Each structure stands twice: as structure tokens, then as C-alpha cells.
Amino acid sequence: MGARAPAAALRHGGELSWRWLALGALSLFAAMLAGFAVGPAGIPPGALFGDLFARLPFGDAEGELSPLQSAVLWELRAPRVVLGALVGACLATAGGAYQRSSATHSPTPTSSVPPPAPG
């Protein structure tokens, strides 16, 4: 990326680079997979995908999870992971909107822009 500034490295002609979008999507997928799989009732990723495909309408595979693991996955972990992803997306959108708002008129904060109010 050379000697370009970090903000300039993200943008090419005013558009977000597809590499950064792919990296973000991959990171989200990895974080969600970890959220589904990691916990006191460990669920292996292979069994996780097997149970997911068994629940799809066209899926004819057998679920590899026990009834207890399936209940932990779909009644406890899945709602929390999805809610966490939605909250993260909302916070990212709000941060981007605040940074680009008419109050700052600047894509990146400078020393002339006061910091956000605490609390």
C-alpha cells in the first residue's frame, strides 16, 4: 500500500476497497463461528455445520448434535451471536454517521474538532 495514509489506503476513487469488505466479512464469519462453537458445552465446528444443514429445508443430512447440544446452540448461543452482530453493525453505522456528520465536516477527526462528550 506504500506510503499512503491509512484512510487513503481504504478508499480507491471514493469507494471502499473490495479487499477490506472481504476481510470484514471473513472476520465477522470467524467471530460468529467462534461464538457458536466456544463455551462450556463445546460444539465442534463440523457438528455445528452438520446440524445447520440438517435444519435447512433442502438438507437431508442427519444432525450430529445431541438434543442438549442442539438446544444450547439454537436457544442460547444463536440468538446472542446474531444480536451481537446486529448491535455491532448498528454501532459501526452510528460511528460512521457521526464521523461524517455535518457537525464535524471531516472524514477523519482533527485537532480542531472537539472530542465527543463523555458518558
Side-chain angles (χ1 to χ4, degrees):
M1 299 217 163
R4 289 188 283 180
L10 287 175
R11 302 205 168 264
H12 298 280
E15 301 254 340
L16 196 61
S17 171
W18 65 270
R19 290 182 185 118
W20 286 104
L21 290 174
L23 181 65
L26 184 65
S27 299
L28 176 64
F29 177 74
M32 290 182 76
L33 180 62
F36 283 129
V38 176
I43 299 173
L48 176 96
F49 286 121
D51 198 57
L52 174 66
F53 290 129
R55 290 178 176 266
L56 293 175
F58 55 83
D60 52 348
E62 291 284 326
E64 299 175 16
L65 298 178
S66 69
L68 178 62
Q69 285 179 323
S70 184
V72 166
L73 177 65
W74 298 110
E75 294 179 21
L76 296 176
R77 291 186 187 173
R80 290 179 184 176
V81 168
V82 171
L83 183 62
L86 289 174
V87 168
C90 290
L91 288 173
T93 302
Y98 178 75
Q99 198 169 3
R100 289 282 188 170
S101 72
S102 60
T104 61
H105 296 291
S106 175
T108 56
T110 63
S111 60
S112 64
V113 177

